[in-house]
Amino acid sequence: MRRVIRFTSESHGLFGTLDEADGRTGVLIVSGGSEPRIGAHRGMAMLAARLASGGVPVFRFDRRGVGDSEGEDRGFEASVPDVLNASLIFRSQMPQVERLVGFGNCDAASALALGGRTCRVDAVLLANPWLREEADALPPAAAIRARYAQRLRDPAEWRRLLTGGVDLGKLAGGLTKLGRRSAPDPLADRVLAGIDAWGDAGRIVLAEGDATAIAFADAAVGRDYTIERVATASHSFVGHADTLHRLLIEAIRRLP
């Protein structure tokens, strides 16, 4: 059964959707950015239904200021109380649930990295974790490097450049950004340290062609993370629902 639940977080009324099942391990889906709990292309709603049909209860919710929920959206770093209250209402509605796996994409992954343990979450699957706010409209430098490397290997791109098919303004902007030294980013350091602290209870999934994922992979070089890479540029893993489902089932089975 699927039902909508209203709950409170710091006096704000939030809304979530519970897919009921009998399992003792549940999945808490945390939405990223201003995306409502249904997910891109209804992806999170369909993932929740599939998990519940296999016996895994799932709760997903709109953080304050997003979707149906009240209040002001103060960003992912301020969303930890909402995640905590979502996990508490989930457990109260499904009293057989003993353990929770948290799943989030983009800045929701970063919120779980930073605050998941304080939110009574036992393990996390983090998709395309968000590390830094760009000062311009360009992708992260690591994503620009990856894109240029790909284009340099493609003869068609050289023909586009020679025939005027390339936006020289964008090209110049990208090259300028590559030439700038990146300033130290305290947020990136905190998110990476938060992931470190999860140890074996943390897993990462990256969309290989996604700019956010490319920037994360570059920042995480040398760290001992378990990463699954998916051959897609879709930030929301469109067409790869089977992979997300498999990874969440694996995360559940790893818990004691």
Side-chain angles (χ1 to χ4, degrees):
M1 178 183 293
R2 171 174 287 178
R3 54 192 173 97
V4 174
I5 296 172
R6 184 185 187 276
F7 64 102
T8 301
S9 179
E10 295 183 337
S11 78
H12 295 285
L14 309 187
F15 284 85
T17 301
L18 174 64
D19 284 75
E20 297 180 338
D22 294 331
R24 292 190 297 176
T25 300
V27 171
L28 178 68
I29 296 178
V30 182
S31 296
S34 58
E35 182 177 281
R37 63 189 185 274
I38 195 171
H41 311 283
R42 300 189 69 251
M44 294 302 100
M46 291 188 287
L47 178 61
R50 183 174 177 183
L51 287 165
S53 70
V56 179
V58 182
F59 190 68
R60 50 197 165 85
F61 68 99
D62 294 335
R63 76 186 188 203
R64 73 186 70 180
V66 173
D68 296 323
S69 293
E70 301 171 355
E72 177 186 356
D73 181 6
R74 298 179 298 162
F76 76 94
E77 291 189 80
S79 70
V80 172
D82 297 349
V83 179
L84 170 60
N85 284 292
S87 72
L88 293 175
I89 195 69
F90 187 8
R91 290 176 183 269
S92 73
Q93 295 292 315
M94 295 272 96
Q96 87 281 5
V97 168
E98 300 172 352
R99 304 163 302 180
L100 286 183
V101 173
F103 171 62
N105 188 19
C106 197
D107 67 15
S110 301
L112 283 168
L114 293 171
R117 289 200 183 275
T118 67
C119 296
R120 296 189 62 190
V121 173
D122 302 288
V124 289
L125 176 63
L126 308 176
N128 305 323
W130 177 265
L131 293 185
R132 65 184 298 160
E133 192 75 43
E134 296 299 316
D136 50 43
L138 294 170
I144 295 173
R145 285 196 300 272
R147 183 61 175 154
Y148 284 174
Q150 180 185 44
R151 288 184 171 184
L152 287 172
R153 294 191 295 268
D154 186 354
E157 291 296 329
W158 287 97
R159 288 195 294 272
R160 287 184 65 233
L161 177 62
L162 295 173
T163 56
V166 173
D167 186 326
L168 295 179
K170 288 185 177 179
L171 176 62
L175 292 172
T176 299
K177 185 165 186 174
L178 286 179
R180 291 199 299 263
R181 183 184 297 274
S182 296
D185 193 326
L187 172 61
D189 291 341
R190 288 193 294 117
V191 172
L192 291 171
I195 297 173
D196 291 342
W198 278 100
D200 290 340
R203 294 289 191 276
I204 296 161
V205 56
L206 300 178
E208 287 186 329
D210 172 65
T212 301
I214 292 169
F216 176 84
D218 183 70
V221 169
R223 280 181 147 85
D224 187 23
Y225 295 155
T226 300
I227 299 177
E228 174 118 1
R229 290 175 167 83
V230 181
T232 181
S234 171
H235 185 66
S236 53
F237 299 92
V238 172
H240 295 274
D242 288 349
T243 299
L244 296 182
H245 179 267
R246 172 178 60 80
L247 290 171
L248 285 167
I249 293 298
E250 289 175 0
I252 290 168
R253 290 173 177 167
R254 278 193 301 270
L255 285 171

